[in-house]
Amino acid sequence: MQGIVFLAVFFVAYLIQGITGFAGNIIAMPVGMATLGMIETVCVLNFAGFFGCGVNALSSRKHINWREAVKIMAVMFPFMLVGIWLDQVLSVEFLKPVYGAIVLAVGIRSLFAKRQRFYPEWALYVVLALAGLIQGMFVSGGAVLAIYCIQKLRDKNEFRGTLSVIWTVLNFIYMGINLAQGVYTQQMVPVLLATIPLSLLASYLGVKILPRISQESFTRMTYVLLVVIGVLLLVL
C-alpha cells in the first residue's frame, strides 16, 4: 500500500517534471521518505531522474541549449560531490527550512513583481553552486537551478529541454555513486521497475500539454512551483 501511495505521488510529480523540466524529485521526496525510507527514496529518485529526464531530454533534443547545459553542469558537479560528502558526515536536515525560506522568498517576489528581476552574473554562479550542494544533500536542487534558468533560458521549450539533459547527466552520476556504495537492494527492484512506465507516460503527457501553455503562463507556473516547493520544504 505504501508503495502504491508513493508511485501515485511520483506520477503527479513527474508529470509536472514532464511539463516544466524540474520539481519532480522535490515533490516526490517527502512522500518517499514517509513510505519507503530516506535511502530507498534517494536511490529510486536518482534512477527515475536519470530515466525520466532522459526521456524528456530526447523529446526536447532540438531545443537544448548545450552551451548553457555544459556550463551549468561544470559548476554544479563539484559542489554536488561536496553535498554528497556533507550528507554523509553531517546532519544536514536543519538546512531544509533555510532552503525552503530562500526558494519561497524568490518565488513570491518573482510572482508578484511587475517585471522580471535580473540577477548579476556573479550571483547566478552562486545560485549554481547552491543548486549543486542541495542536489548532493537532498537530491532536489531543481528549485534553485530554476532561479538561474528563468533568467538564462527564456523559451519554455529551451528551459524544459536544457534542464532535462542536466538532470539526466547528474542523476546518472549520482546513481553510479549509489551503486558503488552498494545501497541499491533487491527490495527496491519492484519500485524501480514501476517508475519506468510511469515516467514514460508522464513525459508523453508533458509533451502534449506544453504546447497548450503560453510562455507567460509557463513562467508564472514556474514561479508558483517555487512557492509550493518552498512551503513543502518548510512544513514537511
Side-chain angles (χ1 to χ4, degrees), residues 14-236:
Y14 266 66
L15 176 58
I16 296 171
Q17 176 104 15
I19 298 169
T20 64
F22 81 106
N25 282 3
I26 201 167
I27 293 173
M29 175 66 81
V31 177
M33 289 171 63
T35 56
L36 303 179
M38 178 66 177
I39 295 174
E40 291 81 358
T41 302
V42 169
C43 292
V44 169
L45 292 181
N46 275 326
F47 171 81
F50 165 65
F51 183 83
C53 294
V55 173
N56 291 341
L58 283 173
S59 66
S60 299
R61 58 190 178 279
K62 294 180 181 178
H63 303 285
I64 295 171
N65 184 327
W66 287 104
R67 182 177 179 180
E68 280 294 338
V70 171
K71 180 173 76 173
I72 290 167
M73 287 186 284
V75 176
M76 283 185 65
F77 176 64
F79 287 97
M80 185 180 81
L81 294 180
V82 173
I84 293 171
W85 175 74
L86 286 174
D87 187 42
Q88 293 175 344
V89 300
L90 297 173
S91 176
V92 296
E93 286 299 307
F94 74 94
L95 292 174
K96 272 191 177 181
V98 178
Y99 174 28
I102 293 171
V103 171
L104 180 61
V106 171
I108 291 174
R109 182 168 186 170
S110 301
L111 190 60
F112 293 103
K114 293 182 179 179
R115 60 180 182 178
Q116 184 178 351
R117 178 181 177 181
F118 291 94
Y119 296 95
E121 200 69 20
W122 67 264
L124 292 177
Y125 279 98
V126 173
V127 167
L128 290 181
L130 286 173
L133 276 173
I134 292 167
Q135 181 67 16
M137 290 187 289
F138 304 121
V139 204
S140 50
V144 176
L145 181 56
I147 296 168
Y148 174 94
C149 291
I150 288 168
Q151 181 165 321
K152 289 292 188 176
L153 307 172
R154 310 299 295 280
D155 174 74
K156 61 183 181 180
N157 293 294
E158 184 183 40
F159 186 99
R160 177 185 186 268
T162 306
L163 274 173
S164 294
V165 78
I166 290 166
W167 296 133
T168 301
V169 173
L170 294 182
N171 279 308
F172 178 74
I173 294 170
Y174 206 152
M175 186 172 65
I177 293 171
N178 288 155
L179 284 168
Q181 292 173 333
V183 293
Y184 279 95
T185 64
Q186 249 185 333
Q187 287 75 21
M188 296 181 196
V189 173
V191 179
L192 292 173
L193 293 177
T195 63
I196 294 175
L198 293 177
S199 297
L200 288 171
L201 179 59
S203 180
Y204 173 78
L205 292 175
V207 170
K208 294 296 183 183
I209 293 170
L210 185 60
R212 300 174 183 271
I213 302 173
S214 68
Q215 183 62 46
E216 182 180 356
S217 297
F218 181 87
T219 302
R220 289 189 66 81
M221 180 191 299
T222 304
Y223 295 146
V224 169
L225 277 175
L226 290 179
V227 173
V228 170
I229 290 167
V231 171
L232 286 175
L233 287 165
L234 286 171
V235 301
L236 294 177

